[in-house]
Amino acid sequence: MRLHTKGRAIVLAGVLACLASSLSGGEQDRVGRGNLGFDRNDYPGDAAMKELRKEFTFVGYWLTPPPGAKTNSWTGKRKEMEALGYGFLLLAQGRAGNAIRTAAAAGKIGVADAREAVRSAKAEGFASGGIIFIDIEDGGRLTAEYHAYLRAWADEIVRLTFRPGVYCSGMAVDEGGGARTVTADDIRSNEAPREFAYWVFNDGCPPSPGCTSVSNPPPTASGVKNAAVWQFVRSPRVPETAAKCSGYAADANCYAAVDAAKKWHLDMNVAASSNPSFK
């Protein structure tokens, strides 16, 4: 069919509109930018969440008390977060490496921790099918017992109709003798064929742009293949990894650009999706 000049103009306008639409929201990763989010152990308050929404599209949401805490200040905040338009990263505390000492105990503990995480997710009103990230603070190569714990945890998460994810290091650890291990790679190889979603931290500059929300690289820029989320800033700044990074405040914490009074220190993340646990 031949189109007159007016018809061609209409078609061209439609193509440009479709192209613009494809580059928005969760599709930003295709052109080298990720969706910006943040996480912190303590809920910053309702007023803070309204202010921070001007800058961030998703937020880390603890399902259990964070490391070192006995209570969880995020409990009961899902509806408020959804009303503000936030996407979610569902996060559950994992055991410390030295807490898993035998393979026999690993399985029981993994199942129990998975059930606690799912029970909390359902109590908060999150739908089945979402990704729950287990928080692993230890870096480098994990023990055989810890891998058994992760396998049991992941299998139970799947049985309970959610999907397993892991928050872990995406930074290489020198083991001596020229050997270097990235925790995310160690998990990927030992837990196969199970498929985890990976939320990795790598706050070294580069590849991290430092404490800034101006340049939002895609999560794969972290150096971890198929990373779903990249935490590129941790507060306070870790001297061993982020000493060369700029943008941190004098107290070594990172603050949002909208937080001129520096009330709420936070960790910054980028993801391919604006709602990473429910992509």
Side-chain angles (χ1 to χ4, degrees), residues 62-228:
W62 281 98
L63 298 173
T64 66
K70 294 182 178 180
T71 59
N72 179 16
S73 58
W74 291 89
T75 299
K77 298 298 182 180
R78 179 191 64 82
K79 289 184 178 179
E80 288 89 336
M81 299 302 91
E82 283 188 338
L84 290 171
Y86 279 105
F88 295 95
L89 277 171
L90 303 184
L91 184 60
Q93 184 179 168
R95 301 297 177 109
N98 58 10
I100 311 296
R101 298 183 179 181
T102 68
K108 294 180 181 179
I109 297 172
V111 168
D113 286 358
R115 289 176 179 174
E116 179 185 4
V118 170
R119 183 166 52 248
S120 176
K122 290 182 175 180
E124 291 292 299
F126 289 109
S128 295
I131 301 170
I132 297 177
F133 293 86
I134 185 171
D135 175 54
I136 300 176
E137 300 289 335
D138 296 330
R141 191 182 304 277
L142 303 176
T143 65
E145 291 78 15
Y146 205 88
H147 284 299
Y149 164 72
L150 284 180
R151 288 191 289 270
W153 183 88
D155 290 345
E156 188 66 6
I157 287 288
V158 170
R159 192 187 72 80
L160 296 172
T161 70
F162 280 77
R163 291 178 287 165
V166 60
Y167 166 86
C168 65
S169 174
M171 309 182 77
V173 173
D174 188 354
E175 296 186 310
R180 295 172 66 82
T181 298
V182 175
T183 306
D185 295 337
D186 183 48
I187 293 171
R188 195 191 309 277
S189 61
N190 280 277
E191 272 57 271
R194 298 163 186 81
E195 293 187 1
F196 283 79
Y198 288 88
W199 172 8
V200 300
F201 65 83
N202 184 347
D203 57 353
C205 297
S208 170
C211 176
T212 175
S213 59
V214 176
S215 175
N216 306 333
T220 50
S222 64
V224 174
K225 179 182 178 181
N226 298 329

Side-chain angles (χ1 to χ4, degrees), residues 129-131 133 163 197-198 226-229 272-279:
I131 301 170
F133 293 86
R163 291 178 287 165
Y198 288 88
N226 298 329
V229 188
S273 169
S274 59
N275 193 16
S277 273
F278 295 93
K279 62 178 183 175

Side-chain angles (χ1 to χ4, degrees), residues 52 68 76 79 135 153 164 246 254 268:
L52 292 169
K79 289 184 178 179
D135 175 54
W153 183 88
S246 62
C254 183
M268 286 191 182

